[in-house]
Structure formats: C-alpha cells, structure tokens
Amino acid sequence: MPSLFGRKVKVIHHIDHLHPIMKLTIKTILDSYLPDIVKGYGFKYADPRWGEPIFIPYGYLDGEYKDTLQAFKKVMEEINDRKDDGLNKFKEWYPDVKFFDIYRFVQYSVPGTEEGYTPGIAVDPLMNYNYFKDGMEEVKNEIMGDVVVATPSLSSFTEFKFYDPIINRRNEIIDAYIWLNRTFHENYDKDKMYDETLGRYYMNFIFNFLEEFGKGRRLSEITEGEVLLIPMFVWGKNKTFDNISNNIVDTWKNSKLFKDSMFHEIDALPVILNKQYLNSIIEKYSNKFNKVILISDKKLPQINKCTECPSSLGNLKILKEGNFSKIFLAK
C-alpha cells in the first residue's frame, strides 16, 4: 500500500474495482456538468495547460456507500481537501479570471508512480469567460447609457441588465439531459449506469449558482432603453437544428446528430438561443431602443450576405459593420 500525496491509500487501478455505488456516482457526474448551459451565461470550465492540478486517485474513494449522494459527498470532500493547491496552478494559467466551486469531472491517470500509473478522476473549475471579446472591443464606444442584453451570455463579466430565456426552461433542460444521458447509457454503456437522482442533483446545483449569480440584473421582461445588445453564438453545422420545436427533446429526436448517435455533440443551448429567438426579440423590442447592436463569437460576412444573422435585422438601418459586430439604427 504505497503512499500517494502524503497519505497511505490503497491503489485501485480500475473504476470497476470501486464500490458499485461510487462507480455509478463517477459515471453519472462525468455526464452532468452542463457545459453548454454555463457557456450561455459567459462561463466555461478551465482547460489545464498540462496535467490535472486537482486530481483524486481512485484509492481515496474506496469504501462502502449507501447511495450516490453519500458517495458524491465523499468526492466533494476530496476535492475540497486539495482544491487550494490546484486552483493556484489554474490561477497561474488564467490570472485575469474568477474561479467558482462548480466543476467538470474527467477520468485521468497520473503516470510515473510506484505502481506505474495511478488512475482516478480530476476536476476543472468553472471560470468566467468572454466569448465576445472581439465584438465587444469593436462596439465599446457604442454601448453606453441604458443597455439591455438580450441573453445572459455577457453576465459573468459585465454589469449590464439582461433578459434570460434559459432560466425559465431550467426544469425542461434538466429533464432533457436526464433523458439524453439515460438513453446513451442504456444503449452504449456496457454497465448501463447513470443515476437520475444524482444527475438531477448536480444539474440543479449548477442552475442554483447561475440563477443567483446575476440575480440583481436579470429582467423579467424587456422594456426600453438606449441600446439593445444581442450576443449571438454562431453554431457550426453539426450544432444547428433544422426543425426546432418548443420542446428540447423533440428537437433533438428529429436531429441528424441524434439519428447518427452523436450524443456528446447534442446541446440544449443551440435549441434555446436560436435564430428564431433572436428574430422574435428584434421584432418585438427593437422599436423601444435607439440602437440595436449585434455581436458574434465568430467573424460575420456583410449583412446582405450574412445567413447566420437574424433576418429581422433587414428591417433596420445599418450604421456600421465590423468583423464581429453590426450596429443598427432602431428608431
């Protein structure tokens, strides 16, 4: 029984050698961290530059557990025991961001130990991230006065008021991912292991954080102001859903991604922040603002060639175009 990280622990070389409930816990949290949804609020999980600074060998998770929530509590205890040192390394890599106690879980092995290698799980913390840096730079002199943002995608790094079409669909989103994960594990996991109780618990934990984070700036409805700022994610062809319905699961079921069993490419955010949604915002509210400003996370062609852009922008007068932005006169 060698010493790992200063403590004598049993070396467990495979997840199958853990208690079945801990194995179920790990397989569940690996698929329950909602990367697309946190992106919709201007967050992402930090990518390590090398290795995994917050690593838990399987040996530390050895033991018996009555249910997945108890096993998950043990996982979080181990994270808390070592997160400070790990976060210091992440802060070296990303000195200008804030980190939060929400984590992505990944399987990982440390090579070169006494046993040859040490397998376990690693966690990467949530951080704020500006997906629209270039667009914001182009329009920085235009976003003054009373600004309303049409989505929460800038909420982690600005103080603007924002409308949130995601949070009201919280239960639907969680139900959709429970269905997707359960479907995947039932069909493609030899162990058929995914725990709905823990999956729902962790996704609710993430949503609780997102709901509280922008609480004071979240608008229940868009009223009026000087600038309506519209952040637009440009989805790749493999992320675009042609037949978007009012229901996330129905949209997924009708997609090529689902029919091709590309489960890990299926996201809820492109269903929610789709072109139809942006069109509806522009049609309903643009006349309540002096300017409408579109910013994108990717370069855009000119407005008359921009198939990615909401078609309702064609009803407004274009004032200025940049590589990542378009400014319109709304009144």
Side-chain angles (χ1 to χ4, degrees), residues 18-274:
L18 287 169
H19 189 277
I21 289 178
M22 179 55 79
K23 177 181 176 180
L24 174 60
T25 297
I26 292 172
K27 296 192 77 166
T28 298
I29 57 180
L30 289 172
D31 288 335
S32 301
Y33 56 90
L34 300 177
D36 63 313
I37 298 302
V38 300
K39 178 178 181 177
Y41 287 84
F43 295 98
K44 68 173 291 187
Y45 293 99
D47 295 317
R49 299 288 171 84
W50 56 266
E52 285 286 354
I54 309 176
F55 173 67
I56 308 167
Y58 283 147
Y60 286 84
L61 304 176
D62 192 29
E64 296 189 2
Y65 304 92
K66 65 179 181 180
D67 56 37
T68 55
L69 293 180
Q70 184 189 44
F72 180 67
K73 182 179 179 182
K74 173 61 175 175
V75 172
M76 292 306 299
E77 287 173 355
E78 292 296 334
I79 291 172
N80 289 331
D81 282 348
R82 65 200 74 209
K83 71 178 182 181
D84 288 344
D85 289 341
L87 281 174
N88 285 336
K89 179 56 67 176
F90 278 108
K91 288 174 182 177
E92 288 180 20
W93 294 331
Y94 302 99
D96 300 321
V97 306
K98 295 179 181 178
F99 291 98
F100 304 90
D101 287 328
I102 307 287
Y103 299 97
R104 169 178 62 195
F105 296 83
V106 296
Q107 289 182 297
Y108 187 72
S109 294
V110 173
T113 62
E114 292 179 38
E115 298 290 315
Y117 71 99
T118 301
I121 59 171
V123 296
D124 304 318
L126 192 72
M127 67 182 193
N128 61 328
Y129 186 79
N130 185 356
Y131 293 92
F132 299 93
K133 181 179 179 180
D134 294 313
M136 291 288 285
E137 179 64 24
E138 288 180 356
V139 303
K140 64 182 180 182
N141 294 326
E142 304 286 343
I143 46 177
M144 295 180 288
D146 190 6
V147 178
V148 174
V149 186
T151 78
S153 304
L154 311 181
S155 64
S156 74
F157 56 90
T158 73
E159 294 299 318
F160 297 138
K161 295 176 292 185
F162 62 91
Y163 182 70
D164 186 353
I166 303 173
I167 205 70
N168 291 335
R169 300 181 72 171
R170 167 181 179 155
N171 291 335
E172 182 194 358
I173 292 166
I174 293 174
D175 287 344
Y177 275 111
I178 292 293
W179 172 84
L180 186 70
N181 290 333
R182 190 172 59 229
T183 301
F184 169 77
H185 283 274
E186 286 175 355
N187 288 280
Y188 299 99
D189 175 9
K190 66 179 179 63
D191 301 312
K192 302 186 183 299
M193 297 182 83
Y194 183 82
D195 183 60
E196 178 177 337
T197 299
L198 178 59
R200 194 175 295 278
Y201 173 86
Y202 193 58
M203 285 187 265
N204 270 308
F205 179 74
I206 295 171
F207 264 110
N208 288 344
F209 165 80
L210 295 173
E211 187 167 9
E212 186 64 27
F213 187 84
K215 190 174 182 180
R217 294 174 285 123
R218 182 178 285 107
L219 300 174
S220 58
E221 61 179 334
I222 296 176
T223 52
E224 60 183 9
E226 294 177 53
V227 176
L228 177 60
L229 183 57
I230 304 176
M232 181 181 73
F233 290 108
V234 176
W235 310 111
K237 289 184 179 180
N238 65 325
K239 293 285 188 180
T240 302
F241 297 96
D242 295 326
N243 300 305
I244 293 180
S245 73
N246 291 327
N247 182 273
I248 294 170
V249 171
D250 288 345
T251 300
W252 285 348
K253 285 180 178 178
N254 291 324
S255 71
K256 187 175 186 300
L257 287 174
F258 182 72
K259 293 171 184 176
D260 291 345
S261 301
M262 302 288 287
F263 285 84
H264 287 89
E265 295 293 328
I266 296 175
D267 291 334
L269 195 64
V271 182
I272 300 168
L273 300 185
N274 56 60

